[in-house]
Amino acid sequence: VTATLADVAQRAGVSTATVSRVLNGNYPVAAGTRKRVLRAVDELSYVVNAQARALAASTSDLVGILVNDVADPFFGLVASGIQAEVAEADLLPVICNTGGDPERELNYLTLLQRQRARGVVLTGGAHDDGRHLRAVAERAAHFASGGGRVVQCGRPPLAALLPGEDSPQVTTVAFDNRGGARALTAHLIALGHTRIGYVSGPEHNTTTTARLKGHLRALDDHPEAEAASAPLVVGGAFRRDSGYDGAAELLRRDPGLTAIVAANDSVALGVCAALRERELSIPGDVSVAGFDDLPFSLDTSPPLTTVRIPLTEAGRRAGRLLLGREAQPPGGVFTIHPELVARASTGAARKR
Amino acid sequence: VTATLADVAQRAGVSTATVSRVLNGNYPVAAGTRKRVLRAVDELSYVVNAQARALAASTSDLVGILVNDVADPFFGLVASGIQAEVAEADLLPVICNTGGDPERELNYLTLLQRQRARGVVLTGGAHDDGRHLRAVAERAAHFASGGGRVVQCGRPPLAALLPGEDSPQVTTVAFDNRGGARALTAHLIALGHTRIGYVSGPEHNTTTTARLKGHLRALDDHPEAEAASAPLVVGGAFRRDSGYDGAAELLRRDPGLTAIVAANDSVALGVCAALRERELSIPGDVSVAGFDDLPFSLDTSPPLTTVRIPLTEAGRRAGRLLLGREAQPPGGVFTIHPELVARASTGAARKR
DNA sequence: CTGAAAGCGCTTACAG
DNA sequence: CTGAAAGCGCTTACAG
């Protein structure tokens, strides 16, 4: 049904080579010939078969983007940034939801390698497990051996995750989650808070770990806060309901706590909901802070204190690095330092 | 660098046909042979070339998803739903940001057709322009002639957009935006509002038009409200800042208005911000309503009255329709009727 | 159960 | 500037 190059060639009375040259514009062709070819293309509504072209020219127009879930604003923003760069290069972004499942991450890596994708960017925190990370490293090396590129965005460099092992140098746009979290909790301590709850993210996740570490590090500078707050850490996921449940649990552990830090903004939303339900005012009774500065954080009430990561910008950078439009950073790692954004959801600790 | 089927065949001491059969498991192969082949595959870290396979078998593993912007929650949710279905079929979703630009929409349609994508789903409101819609219809027909499928999700059926012309039957998951908007404004009128502002969406967009029509239709039932509110319509985009600016303009036109309806939830966020800035209470002074029921709408303060569209669900359905996993609905159109969700941002009209 | 061979729809040296 | 031909890496009748 669909016309092929040969059909076009026949109709234009030229060879397929000539048609190919006209279409790719990478070789001189007589004006008249070109005209005849283009007319034939038009008459036949010819659309080149990119698969065949890719095979013959051994190239690919595909770029893979692995996310937990595109519907999660964090990933949506990063993906959008990458997509913007990819689009400028006339490539097609294949965006895959892994749901944070390492199996699916590896599976998609394989599918993308089958497609001979030009590269793939792994976004968000990594599943922090030696076996899995080694598998990722292996896939990345394999990918690279085939001319593909792997870039990470929002996770630590493989070398840091697999210390002592020689992992392939995978370009990384890293987020200083630890530093950001530390600054955030320090901000609360400076406001006089000592009983600070923490609703953490999913287990075995590098982002979870880094943020929690930053929090603990800040407490470490302040013995009194540390003593009171160290027991106030509950696990969860990067979801609203996790914040809702987590806040309930924290209040059970210490009804007198004066602040709650959430693993990210979505979690903070749930924390706020749980507090409101108990008629605790924010920040009057309890200060609340999130992480990421997702767009909605400006419009919660009160606006959320958080740590800003320029996610779209990070995605764009990852995209440029992948496409070779930007020089590799020293050591293959570009680190983004998030910025504390103090808004109205945090205030001075309640007197008690 | 990369191993090919021939390499595997040679190493296993069989023909390429046999390797292909082992890999595809679609043909009987002796157990011993299979074993040798699989070992060779493993030893060579062979990864099949999907492009070559697609060419030879004339299939494709790609499905296109056209969105305005994945970072916009509306589109993120829809895309996530489609992706879920696509993934179950072991296909790869190519998610493209058109930015609402008709040119880019057509361009991506071409790129996806070049890839011989199995299908593509067009999401969100359509650019309502005859020329463009005819071009889309033509592309869709062409796509279909090549065995691909085009599904729409969140826009009216082509037949409705190009009345009287014969457009290709493109399966459509439509949203009854008009009905939802009408119910929303009726809700406000029932609360005693007569001076109702409306911050509309981008021009030439089917969603914008349908929602505005629903609003006007509700006013039509109530002469007093209609007289006061008809002049209170301002244009904009589906973005927060548009709501912010729009609310300012509306208050200029009628400082005494008691309600503002926004084209969607993001716009409503901006409206709320503008009202807060003027120290107008919601809903005490002014009621505010949005559309879509995006996740954050539950957590604004007060929670946003809105019209719920099950976006992920809609995406899944579009995905199933595209993959032929669900029977075509009668007339090729499945209409989703959004549901009014009355929350605390709307209340009785202020006495004056 | 297995293989030789044609073919999928392109690109690209090579030769003219 | 143009064409004949080989080749990209698979799949799939066809034959055995």
Side-chain angles (χ1 to χ4, degrees):
Chain A
V1 192
T2 312
T4 68
L5 241 211
D7 298 331
V8 175
Q10 190 185 349
R11 180 160 199 125
V14 298
S15 71
T16 58
T18 298
V19 177
S20 172
R21 286 169 188 139
V22 169
L23 259 26
N24 292 302
N26 52 2
Y27 217 79
V29 173
T33 310
R34 152 185 304 277
K35 207 163 191 174
R36 288 214 311 288
V37 169
L38 290 179
R39 170 186 314 196
V41 164
D42 195 53
E43 288 170 347
L44 296 172
S45 300
Y46 172 70
V47 175
V48 68
N49 183 325
Q51 318 243 28
R53 169 183 284 177
L55 179 59
S58 62
T59 59
S60 168
D61 298 329
L62 266 28
V63 169
I65 303 176
L66 264 46
V67 297
N68 273 18
D69 183 1
V70 260
D72 180 326
F74 176 98
F75 292 97
L77 258 3
V78 173
S80 186
I82 301 171
Q83 134 93 46
E85 293 290 335
V86 165
E88 279 181 35
D90 269 316
L91 300 176
L92 259 11
V94 179
I95 305 185
C96 309
N97 285 178
T98 66
D101 179 358
E103 296 288 332
R104 284 166 66 190
E105 179 165 296
L106 292 176
N107 187 44
Y108 273 124
L109 239 20
T110 301
L111 292 183
L112 288 164
Q113 199 176 359
R114 286 189 185 171
Q115 296 291 336
R116 299 297 186 263
R118 201 172 287 205
V120 39
V121 12
L122 307 170
T123 70
H127 181 75
D128 198 357
D129 168 83
R131 241 169 52 97
H132 174 247
L133 290 168
R134 260 170 236 118
V136 169
E138 197 187 315
R139 286 279 202 305
H142 197 207
F143 221 102
S145 78
R149 288 210 195 180
V150 177
V151 170
Q152 302 194 117
C153 182
R155 51 179 66 179
L158 278 176
L161 293 170
L162 295 170
E165 311 184 20
D166 60 14
S167 39
Q169 164 135 349
V170 168
T171 309
T172 299
V173 176
F175 300 160
D176 179 15
N177 286 303
R178 190 168 181 279
R182 182 180 177 184
L184 179 58
T185 295
H187 159 75
L188 288 168
I189 291 175
L191 286 169
H193 296 274
T194 52
R195 295 158 75 170
I196 306 172
Y198 189 90
V199 184
S200 193
E203 288 189 318
H204 308 300
N205 183 100
T206 56
T207 302
T208 297
T209 311
R211 292 182 183 178
L212 180 54
K213 273 191 183 157
H215 170 67
L216 297 176
R217 179 65 187 76
L219 291 178
D220 200 42
D221 283 336
H222 201 286
E224 188 191 346
E226 182 172 31
S229 305
L232 300 181
V233 176
V234 299
F238 287 126
R239 289 194 318 264
R240 181 188 192 275
D241 61 331
S242 168
Y244 185 87
D245 297 343
E249 168 63 18
L250 288 172
L251 287 168
R252 206 170 297 135
R253 291 194 196 169
D254 181 0
L257 59 73
T258 63
I260 297 181
V261 176
N264 75 1
D265 290 347
S266 299
V267 174
L269 245 33
V271 169
C272 289
L275 294 174
R276 270 198 303 273
E277 217 168 70
R278 287 167 180 70
E279 299 189 342
L280 290 168
S281 83
I282 307 169
D285 294 313
V286 180
S287 285
V288 177
F291 210 112
D292 291 340
D293 194 24
L294 299 181
F296 61 73
S297 303
L298 195 61
D299 291 299
T300 54
S301 166
L304 203 57
T305 289
T306 185
V307 178
R308 160 152 250 278
I309 306 183
L311 295 168
T312 305
E313 178 54 35
R316 293 198 80 120
R317 189 175 296 274
R320 287 197 299 270
L321 254 9
L322 181 36
L323 301 173
R325 292 175 146 207
E326 178 168 321
Q328 294 299 306
V333 183
F334 183 95
T335 301
I336 290 181
H337 294 279
E339 173 197 6
L340 176 65
V341 180
R343 298 206 184 96
S345 70
T346 50
R350 180 182 64 219
K351 292 296 178 300
R352 336 188 34 259
Chain B
V1 192
T2 312
T4 67
L5 241 212
D7 298 330
V8 175
Q10 188 184 351
R11 181 160 198 127
V14 298
S15 71
T16 57
T18 298
V19 177
S20 172
R21 286 168 188 141
V22 168
L23 260 26
N24 291 304
N26 54 2
Y27 216 80
V29 174
T33 310
R34 151 185 304 277
K35 207 164 192 171
R36 289 211 312 288
V37 168
L38 290 178
R39 170 184 317 193
V41 164
D42 196 52
E43 289 171 347
L44 296 172
S45 300
Y46 172 70
V47 175
V48 68
N49 182 326
Q51 318 242 30
R53 169 182 283 179
L55 180 58
S58 61
T59 58
S60 169
D61 297 330
L62 267 27
V63 169
I65 302 177
L66 263 46
V67 297
N68 272 19
D69 183 1
V70 262
D72 179 327
F74 177 98
F75 292 97
L77 257 4
V78 173
S80 187
I82 302 171
Q83 134 93 44
E85 293 290 334
V86 165
E88 279 181 35
D90 270 316
L91 299 177
L92 258 13
V94 178
I95 305 185
C96 310
N97 286 178
T98 66
D101 179 358
E103 294 288 331
R104 284 166 68 189
E105 179 166 295
L106 292 175
N107 187 45
Y108 273 124
L109 237 21
T110 300
L111 292 184
L112 289 164
Q113 198 176 0
R114 285 189 186 172
Q115 296 291 336
R116 299 296 186 263
R118 200 171 289 205
V120 40
V121 12
L122 307 171
T123 71
H127 181 75
D128 199 356
D129 168 83
R131 242 169 51 96
H132 175 248
L133 290 168
R134 259 170 238 121
V136 169
E138 196 189 316
R139 285 278 202 305
H142 198 207
F143 221 102
S145 77
R149 288 209 196 181
V150 177
V151 170
Q152 301 193 118
C153 182
R155 53 179 66 179
L158 278 177
L161 293 170
L162 295 171
E165 311 185 20
D166 61 12
S167 40
Q169 164 135 349
V170 167
T171 308
T172 299
V173 176
F175 299 160
D176 179 15
N177 286 303
R178 190 166 181 280
R182 181 180 178 184
L184 179 57
T185 295
H187 159 76
L188 288 169
I189 292 176
L191 286 170
H193 295 274
T194 51
R195 295 159 74 170
I196 307 171
Y198 190 90
V199 183
S200 193
E203 286 189 319
H204 307 301
N205 182 100
T206 56
T207 301
T208 296
T209 312
R211 292 181 183 178
L212 180 54
K213 274 192 183 157
H215 171 66
L216 296 177
R217 179 66 187 76
L219 291 178
D220 200 42
D221 284 337
H222 201 287
E224 188 190 347
E226 183 172 29
S229 305
L232 300 179
V233 175
V234 300
F238 287 124
R239 290 194 320 263
R240 181 189 193 275
D241 60 330
S242 167
Y244 185 86
D245 297 342
E249 169 63 19
L250 288 173
L251 286 168
R252 207 168 300 134
R253 291 196 197 168
D254 180 2
L257 59 73
T258 63
I260 297 181
V261 176
N264 77 358
D265 290 347
S266 299
V267 174
L269 244 34
V271 169
C272 289
L275 293 174
R276 269 197 306 273
E277 218 168 69
R278 288 166 178 69
E279 299 191 341
L280 290 169
S281 84
I282 307 170
D285 294 313
V286 180
S287 286
V288 177
F291 210 111
D292 292 341
D293 193 24
L294 299 180
F296 61 72
S297 303
L298 196 60
D299 291 299
T300 54
S301 169
L304 202 58
T305 289
T306 185
V307 178
R308 161 153 248 279
I309 306 183
L311 294 168
T312 307
E313 179 54 33
R316 294 198 80 121
R317 187 174 299 272
R320 288 197 300 271
L321 253 11
L322 180 40
L323 301 173
R325 293 176 144 206
E326 178 169 320
Q328 294 300 307
V333 183
F334 183 95
T335 302
I336 291 182
H337 293 279
E339 172 197 7
L340 175 66
V341 180
R343 298 207 184 96
S345 70
T346 50
R350 181 182 64 219
K351 293 295 178 298
R352 342 191 26 260

